[in-house]
Amino acid sequence: MGKQYHAKSKRFKRLFVLHKVSRLAHGIRACYRYDSRVQRVINGLPEGFDICVGILGHSHTVVITKIGDELHCKMTDGYAAGGIYIYFKNMEGAIQVLRNRISYLQAYTQSYIVIEGGTERAIDFVNMLLIVQNYMATARQRRRYLGELSEFEVPVGKIRRYAFFRGWIA
């Protein structure tokens, strides 16, 4: 078994989680562009709707805003006005989920994440995050920890390339 690397200091953990949350935002944008299941969830939202992803008690959050047929991402301090808030309860739970050690569905059932502002749509958002997580995870992580999706609508490499090269946060 390979050597495991763990985040040791609080500062490194916070930077690691911010990086991974921004990668999650890139993945949501990429999946929205190519996957019809994610499009169905996002298109059901009103114009100007915000999806905030962050950690409870920490200042920085990633805000994904639906404007027209596009998603715009930005890093902000604090809350955004109106939308759904997806927050990790603590840093340790966030690291497990963002390293793809447990799925978003498992994290939601074990209360590692909190969803506020749109509880009637909460399970749709969790399923959307599960789809994005499966696209962004490696094949080994999907087999070992997450369980494969029944099928991918587009090649995984296409989603990853779009998320990496075009998913910059302004």
Side-chain angles (χ1 to χ4, degrees), residues 48-113:
F49 194 84
D50 292 330
I51 302 169
C52 303
V53 183
I55 299 174
L56 280 175
H58 293 275
S59 60
H60 297 296
T61 58
V62 174
V63 179
I64 306 163
T65 306
K66 180 186 175 196
I67 300 174
D69 288 339
E70 294 184 13
L71 294 179
H72 297 277
C73 298
K74 63 182 175 183
M75 187 78 73
T76 63
D77 293 334
Y79 290 93
I84 193 164
Y85 305 101
I86 303 167
Y87 286 110
F88 295 98
K89 279 191 172 179
N90 57 33
M91 194 74 70
E92 306 308 320
I95 288 173
Q96 280 198 355
V97 174
L98 293 170
R99 289 184 71 208
N100 297 320
R101 297 299 184 243
I102 60 174
S103 70
Y104 282 93
L105 187 60
Q106 190 177 4
Y108 184 67
T109 57
Q110 293 178 354
S111 299
Y112 284 146
I113 59 176

Side-chain angles (χ1 to χ4, degrees), residues 5-65:
Y5 294 95
H6 298 285
K8 297 288 183 197
S9 70
K10 278 188 171 183
R11 182 171 185 228
F12 181 74
K13 286 180 183 180
R14 187 173 55 243
L15 290 174
F16 176 79
V17 169
L18 282 175
H19 169 72
K20 287 294 195 172
V21 166
S22 69
R23 300 304 312 157
L24 173 66
H26 303 322
I28 290 172
R29 286 181 67 196
C31 287
Y32 174 68
R33 183 176 177 99
Y34 295 113
D35 193 290
S36 66
R37 297 167 293 185
V38 175
Q39 288 173 358
R40 190 170 37 248
V41 172
I42 300 290
N43 287 337
L45 302 175
E47 181 75 22
F49 194 84
D50 292 330
I51 302 169
C52 303
V53 183
I55 299 174
L56 280 175
H58 293 275
S59 60
H60 297 296
T61 58
V62 174
V63 179
I64 306 163
T65 306

Side-chain angles (χ1 to χ4, degrees), residues 132-152:
V132 172
Q133 186 180 30
N134 270 286
Y135 272 115
M136 299 301 283
T138 63
R140 181 179 178 203
Q141 288 171 335
R142 284 192 304 269
R143 264 192 326 270
R144 201 167 198 194
Y145 302 110
L146 304 177
E148 294 263 357
L149 277 178
S150 58
E151 63 183 47
F152 291 109

